[in-house]
Amino acid sequence: MKILLTGVTGYIGKRLLPVLLEQGHEIICCVRDKNRFDTSAIPGHVQVVEVDFLDNESLKEIPLEIDIAYFLIHSMATQSGDFQQMEAQCATNFRNFMEKTSAQQIIYLSGIINSDHLSKHLDSRRNVENILASGRVPITTLRAGIIVGSGSASFEIIRDLVEKLPVMITPKWLQTKCQPIAIRNVIEFMIGVIANPHTFSRSYDIGGPDILSYKNMLLQYAAERKLRRQIFVIPLMTPRLSSYWLYFVTSTSYNLAKNLVDSMKVEVICKPNNLAEELGITLINYRQSIQLAFQKIESDNVVSSWKDAQTSHILSGGLSRLLEVPSYGCFKDVRSVPLHNSEASLTKIWSIGGNSGWYYGNWLWKIRGFMDQLVGGVGMRRGRKNKSDLAAGDALDFWRVLIADRTTKRLLLYAEMKLPGEAWLEFKIEDNILQQTATFRPLGLAGRLYWYAVWPFHGFIFRGMINRIANA
């Protein structure tokens, strides 16, 4: 079948794509930025179309001859604009375009909405579902709550909290009940309903076999990891304080933390249905979901991470405009050293950041990350998805990978931290010489003052970093 896949660079889309290809489907991938999506290592028939569903004109690039369409677009983590309005506009444009195609079915992954009082996030999901259902093409809606898997937002937040805090003073929403589901089961459901007429124009709640409070989820994670943890629930923490609590302890952004806290006050428990039995799906319990997630983490085989897909206003114009590092009006720190072993140094470059650190003055990097977090930036908390591999579009601490080409031995990073300007960091090996270049394009007087203020630290850090890489 010819399948249109939206949100392919997101957490679910990256997991779904290889499974669809394994089944022999022809996939049309819709991406906002082709530079963030590398198909070179993807087996099977893949066509990539650059589309922005907020821009109706760009939808003309999508072929009309399709059989199935997945709608996996959301804007909850956006840092600019009203995400509810943006999601509604995307859904409207998508529905109108589907009317012109030969599509037989739309498959939409939504959230469980079995409550009269919904959060903004869940209310937006319901609105999108209604918009899509108002069109000619039948829609199958799968409604999930907490998705548990390596790299999922829910799992990584739970992991951050339990691994970092032996004692937790928590808000009362930790008593709210939910029905978590393993990412493996989510993908099985999304594959199982393809071209299944019985599921047309219907919605299904999908969840695992366990109904747990968020507190129980934290404690069961702790038990699985053999950690002793104490959790005290107090009623005094406001939603804003709860959001800041999540923001400073976990790797989530403040906007996402705010929307998550809003959603976590609402119970998300499935209405009974027989879809799992009809599709032959064996539901995985919560403890097993954690075990499966750590199998992926320990084997360094995390397929996708919510951190890579997180929306940033800095990147809203796409990676393409950032690939050409400017020279005019910029400050630069350029250093070169000869290498004893270029392959060992290249491996060290590809392992930079995350748990490996930045090889020199790590405490200064951490202070800079904390300062960034204080003003609402991403900080150093995002780490990296894979210990030894990088790809364009990956998050790397407070950087975003623009180019990661081992063939040409070049790594180019762009700063997503809060800055009075723009910053690039580039590593390149040519003729057994490592060149390391930090570029800063200041924005006005504030940018120039910033560069001169941090210049002494740059000399200390960048000199030490390149020497450590060269001596690998």
Side-chain angles (χ1 to χ4, degrees):
M1 284 189 170
K2 188 175 286 188
I3 296 178
L4 182 73
L5 181 58
T6 65
V8 70
T9 58
Y11 178 73
I12 299 294
K14 279 187 177 179
R15 303 283 175 127
L16 185 59
L17 176 59
V19 181
L20 291 171
L21 290 172
E22 283 175 12
Q23 295 191 347
H25 298 293
E26 181 180 344
I27 312 300
I28 302 162
C29 297
C30 293
V31 297
R32 281 189 297 179
D33 187 352
K34 286 184 178 181
N35 290 295
R36 287 190 60 191
F37 187 57
D38 181 12
T39 60
S40 59
I42 300 174
H45 193 130
V46 176
Q47 178 183 352
V48 181
V49 181
E50 199 164 75
V51 177
D52 181 355
F53 282 93
L54 289 171
D55 177 9
N56 210 22
E57 287 298 309
S58 70
L59 273 64
K60 294 177 181 178
E61 301 297 320
I62 304 174
L64 297 177
E65 296 299 318
I66 56 176
D67 300 308
I68 307 293
Y70 282 95
F71 189 80
L72 302 177
I73 299 170
H74 72 85
S75 306
M76 188 171 69
T78 186
Q79 297 183 26
S80 60
D82 182 343
F83 80 86
Q84 289 177 292
Q85 188 275 329
M86 293 168 69
E87 290 184 348
Q89 187 62 55
C90 285
T92 301
N93 290 342
F94 180 85
R95 177 204 63 197
N96 293 342
F97 180 79
M98 285 297 107
E99 300 279 326
K100 307 171 188 176
T101 71
S102 57
Q104 307 164 23
Q105 180 190 24
I106 294 171
I107 301 171
Y108 172 50
L109 182 63
S110 183
I112 296 174
I113 51 178
N114 302 324
S115 173
D116 294 330
H117 304 286
L118 296 176
S119 64
K120 287 179 65 176
H121 158 55
L122 292 175
D123 186 57
S124 181
R125 292 294 174 93
R126 179 172 61 183
N127 186 43
V128 167
E129 182 180 335
N130 291 336
I131 291 170
L132 296 176
S134 66
R136 174 191 61 80
V137 183
I139 178 177
T140 300
T141 303
L142 300 172
R143 298 171 174 167
I146 297 294
I147 297 175
V148 182
S150 58
S152 77
S154 305
F155 174 79
E156 295 300 337
I157 288 171
I158 290 169
R159 183 182 175 194
D160 277 345
L161 290 172
V162 177
E163 301 281 355
K164 293 177 180 178
L165 302 176
V167 178
M168 289 178 245
I169 308 298
T170 63
K172 61 182 179 181
W173 50 255
L174 245 69
Q175 305 286 21
T176 304
K177 287 185 169 55
C178 63
Q179 195 164 348
I181 182 170
I183 180 60
R184 187 169 301 188
N185 283 156
V186 173
I187 299 301
E188 288 175 330
F189 278 113
M190 297 184 75
I191 294 292
V193 299
I194 291 176
N196 185 338
H198 178 66
T199 67
F200 288 5
S201 302
R202 297 186 65 179
S203 61
Y204 301 88
D205 291 354
I206 57 172
D210 301 323
I211 297 175
L212 304 167
S213 69
Y214 292 111
K215 179 179 178 179
N216 286 336
M217 290 176 68
L218 292 169
L219 291 173
Q220 286 198 27
Y221 177 98
E224 190 63 39
R225 297 285 289 158
K226 297 180 173 54
L227 298 169
R228 297 184 63 181
R229 295 295 182 260
Q230 296 291 322
I231 301 176
F232 300 97
V233 178
I234 61 172
L236 302 178
M237 291 183 74
T238 65
R240 174 169 290 194
L241 283 175
S242 298
S243 301
Y244 279 119
W245 179 66
L246 277 185
Y247 173 59
F248 279 104
V249 175
T250 74
S251 54
T252 184
S253 67
Y254 177 73
N255 284 343
L256 185 55
K258 182 172 62 176
N259 289 318
L260 286 173
V261 167
D262 198 26
S263 296
M264 286 173 174
K265 294 182 290 184
V266 180
E267 286 197 346
V268 283
I269 299 172
C270 299
K271 288 181 179 177
N273 63 71
N274 297 320
L275 186 60
E277 291 82 355
E278 291 173 11
L279 300 179
I281 295 172
T282 301
L283 297 176
I284 301 168
N285 67 36
Y286 178 62
R287 292 284 288 267
Q288 290 174 313
S289 302
I290 296 172
Q291 293 167 11
L292 291 171
F294 271 97
Q295 286 176 18
K296 292 287 187 182
I297 293 167
E298 289 165 2
S299 63
D300 205 19
N301 190 30
V302 179
V303 177
S304 62
S305 171
W306 70 279
K307 299 171 188 176
D308 295 337
Q310 186 171 314
T311 303
S312 169
H313 72 281
I314 293 174
L315 301 176
S316 59
L319 298 187
S320 300
R321 69 178 183 86
L322 304 171
L323 295 177
E324 190 69 35
V325 182
S327 295
Y328 182 76
C330 295
F331 296 108
K332 287 183 179 285
D333 183 287
V334 182
R335 299 173 189 272
S336 298
V337 294
L339 300 178
H340 304 292
N341 185 331
S342 62
E343 284 303 315
S345 294
L346 185 65
T347 297
K348 198 157 189 177
I349 291 169
W350 248 250
S351 303
I352 202 166
N355 291 332
S356 298
W358 292 82
Y359 304 137
Y360 197 82
N362 274 324
W363 60 278
L364 287 171
W365 288 93
K366 290 177 181 178
I367 289 172
R368 182 63 185 89
F370 179 70
M371 291 169 62
D372 186 55
Q373 196 175 345
L374 286 176
V375 294
V378 296
M380 293 283 283
R381 303 157 300 155
R382 297 187 305 184
R384 51 182 294 156
K385 179 175 61 185
N386 189 290
K387 295 176 185 176
S388 57
D389 193 26
L390 291 170
D394 283 358
L396 179 58
D397 292 335
F398 47 50
W399 301 90
R400 181 72 61 168
V401 179
L402 299 181
I403 296 173
D405 190 337
R406 290 198 75 135
T407 303
T408 60
K409 300 181 180 180
R410 183 186 181 207
L411 177 65
L412 178 63
L413 309 177
Y414 181 79
E416 286 192 272
M417 66 189 92
K418 299 281 188 179
L419 287 170
E422 295 180 287
W424 289 259
L425 180 60
E426 182 177 14
F427 301 92
K428 184 189 295 185
I429 297 176
E430 288 182 340
D431 300 324
N432 222 34
I433 301 290
L434 169 61
Q435 181 170 298
Q436 173 187 285
T437 306
T439 302
F440 181 68
R441 179 160 61 185
L443 181 63
L445 178 61
R448 294 178 180 276
L449 292 174
Y450 169 81
W451 174 263
Y452 289 119
V454 298
W455 179 75
F457 301 103
H458 281 176
F460 172 73
I461 292 172
F462 291 145
R463 180 175 60 252
M465 183 168 63
I466 194 172
N467 289 334
R468 291 280 174 85
I469 294 172
N471 292 327

